[in-house]
Amino acid sequence: GGSARATAPLQLRGGPVHTGSAIEFLQLEAMQRAAGYGPAAVPYGGHGYGAATASKAIYREPPLPEFLGLEKEGRQRLNGLAVFQAWLMPCLIFSGMLSLMSFSTWRDHRVQGAFLQGCALLIGLAFAGKAFVAHQRRGQGDDQRVSDQPTWFLFLAVTCLLAWLAGLILGSSNYAALMSPYYDLSAMGIAYNVSPGDLPGTRHLDASRVVFKEGSRVAEELSLGFKDGTTYCVAPIVAGNGTDGTKLASFDYWAVGINCCNPQPPATFWCGRSDLTNPAAHGAVRWMGDSARSFFQLAIQQAEAEYGYQAVNPILYTWTQDPVADVEDMRSAGMDFLVGLTVKFAVLQAIFVIGVIFFLSPTGLQSLGQWKAVAKAASGYFADDADGPALRASYDPAPPEGGGPMAGGRPGAVRGWG
């Protein structure tokens, strides 16, 4: 008839000790469940049998109040400025590191460049530190309002650090492949109206772009290649139709290329940026690569022995129609590479941000909860739980006498998820 007093204080897990009656305790428990948190009842066979007892109440997580501007005030609303900052910060770090490493700033100002790299890295590490601190506060239960901030700060930390690393790697690649050759070639001079018979060739050592006299051509019939797995091809540049090596004391201007010739006579040669049969092509860009230079020298020595001519001061070139435009194209390609990667990264970062917002939306959280439930059930959630035996007992009490739908019980009932 009357409300019986509990023999021992009752306590909800994570909550204060309740010293009132058992009925008052259950009323408090029902109010908490109606609010969206508190001890989760575990339906058993659809009959509500086996619900969590008061002494072993298992709490649902409180509803997520915030995540990067998702504020809970009656309903969720999106903080557009916070989302924009989440997208913008990694993009700025990526584009900054990509630009720093792509241009001559890093080569000419190492100390200042290293300082900028360190500042960008500290931004990502700062977010990682805030994620750790927020996680510690969550674990200590200091403030439920920060329950989602570790995830947000971790997202910013990961994306900022990845942006920093990707910017360094891709920027260095852009500099090595395109911008460094452009800087080296553009720093040298241009020689116009050069005759292949002008000797010695060292007269034009300071020229990276050479425009030969009209009629100059690559002597394909005097070409040869040195094969060492890779074929290093060489052919002298001659004036008009002259092919007889005895007419010149030395062939000092050479068109070169890799894997673009027949290494042994009868000779064929198709190296360069322009077709050898193009009469408008009579220009050349200086070959700047050092790794292949020694192999080209061996190919020239082999050609000297094969054809009986001399190459006293050979200078290596890539045959082309417009050497000045070709060098400027390197700069344009480097800029296109930088702009294209920046745009692609911005789009990818926007996709990540949108994905995280959806992930923490009610729909996403519901899906996540379902997957967590399946994963816990499949892995035997109680197997490694220190309270496993007691929880089993609280969730799977003995079945009622006389059988019924719960007769026989079920060992190892799974804990309920919110």
Side-chain angles (χ1 to χ4, degrees):
S3 59
R5 282 287 183 183
T7 58
L10 300 177
Q11 181 181 13
L12 296 174
R13 179 170 296 186
V17 175
H18 182 76
T19 58
S21 67
I23 294 178
E24 293 172 345
F25 177 85
L26 294 177
Q27 289 175 343
L28 175 61
E29 181 183 75
M31 292 173 62
Q32 290 178 332
R33 266 201 300 270
Y37 57 94
V42 182
Y44 188 26
H47 297 276
Y49 185 76
T53 62
S55 62
K56 279 292 183 178
I58 305 301
Y59 267 74
R60 290 192 182 109
E61 290 291 334
L64 297 176
E66 299 176 352
F67 177 82
L68 190 69
L70 290 178
E71 302 173 358
K72 189 87 170 183
E73 295 180 359
R75 63 176 185 175
Q76 289 182 334
R77 60 186 179 89
L78 193 62
N79 188 330
L81 179 60
V83 173
F84 177 72
Q85 291 173 345
W87 169 81
L88 182 63
M89 185 64 69
C91 291
L92 290 178
I93 292 176
F94 176 78
S95 61
M97 292 300 98
L98 184 63
S99 301
L100 174 65
M101 301 306 296
S102 291
F103 300 129
S104 58
T105 305
W106 174 244
R107 180 182 67 178
D108 300 336
H109 307 283
R110 293 279 182 173
V111 176
Q112 294 86 338
F115 174 76
L116 293 176
Q117 289 180 3
C119 290
L121 178 61
L122 284 177
I123 294 175
L125 294 178
F127 280 122
K130 289 182 73 68
F132 177 77
V133 171
H135 178 73
Q136 293 294 103
R137 291 179 62 189
R138 181 185 181 184
Q140 295 171 1
D142 293 342
D143 191 351
Q144 289 293 343
R145 292 175 299 177
V146 301
S147 61
D148 299 306
Q149 290 181 6
T151 303
W152 168 241
F153 288 128
L154 182 61
F155 170 80
L156 273 177
V158 170
T159 54
C160 286
L161 292 176
L162 287 178
W164 180 83
L165 182 61
L168 291 182
I169 295 175
L170 295 174
S172 299
S173 175
N174 187 28
Y175 181 81
L178 296 171
M179 300 308 296
S180 180
Y182 165 75
Y183 289 129
D184 293 339
L185 293 170
S186 61
M188 303 173 70
I190 305 174
Y192 291 98
N193 203 29
V194 175
S195 172
D198 289 346
L199 296 177
T202 52
R203 291 172 56 186
H204 301 292
L205 278 178
D206 61 343
S208 62
R209 292 145 287 179
V210 176
V211 180
F212 294 99
K213 289 183 177 180
E214 290 189 15
S216 300
R217 66 182 187 87
V218 175
E220 181 180 6
E221 62 278 4
L222 297 179
S223 65
L224 202 126
F226 177 81
K227 189 173 180 63
D228 183 26
T230 300
T231 302
Y232 300 88
C233 306
V234 297
I237 299 174
V238 300
N241 295 324
T243 60
D244 188 356
T246 61
K247 294 181 180 179
L248 293 176
S250 174
F251 285 110
D252 285 357
Y253 303 94
W254 289 80
V256 299
I258 295 177
N259 293 329
C260 50
C261 69
N262 185 2
Q264 298 296 334
T268 55
F269 185 92
W270 59 91
C271 304
R273 297 190 179 99
S274 179
D275 194 314
L276 300 183
T277 61
N278 181 6
H282 50 88
V285 176
R286 188 79 164 270
W287 181 280
M288 302 299 292
D290 293 329
S291 59
R293 189 174 299 275
S294 60
F295 295 101
F296 287 133
Q297 295 289 351
L298 292 174
I300 292 173
Q301 294 174 13
Q302 189 172 337
E304 288 179 300
E306 179 68 28
Y307 297 111
Y309 52 65
Q310 288 186 332
V312 179
N313 299 296
I315 305 176
L316 310 180
Y317 295 94
T318 298
W319 188 252
T320 185
Q321 179 174 338
D322 190 342
V324 177
D326 285 351
V327 173
E328 291 300 319
D329 287 344
M330 294 180 184
R331 178 181 178 278
S332 298
M335 292 297 298
D336 292 343
F337 181 84
L338 185 148
V339 173
L341 282 181
T342 301
V343 172
K344 290 177 182 177
F345 184 89
V347 172
L348 185 62
Q349 181 67 15
I351 293 174
F352 285 160
V353 171
I354 294 172
V356 169
I357 293 174
F358 171 78
F359 181 74
L360 291 178
S361 67
T363 302
L365 289 173
Q366 183 179 8
S367 300
L368 176 64
Q370 293 173 352
W371 279 108
K372 283 184 176 180
V374 173
K376 287 180 180 180
S379 60
Y381 183 71
F382 286 107
D384 300 325
D385 197 325
D387 295 331
L391 289 172
R392 284 196 199 95
S394 63
Y395 285 126
D396 266 345
E401 295 182 2
M406 305 307 298
R410 185 183 59 159
V414 180
R415 193 177 352 194
W417 305 285

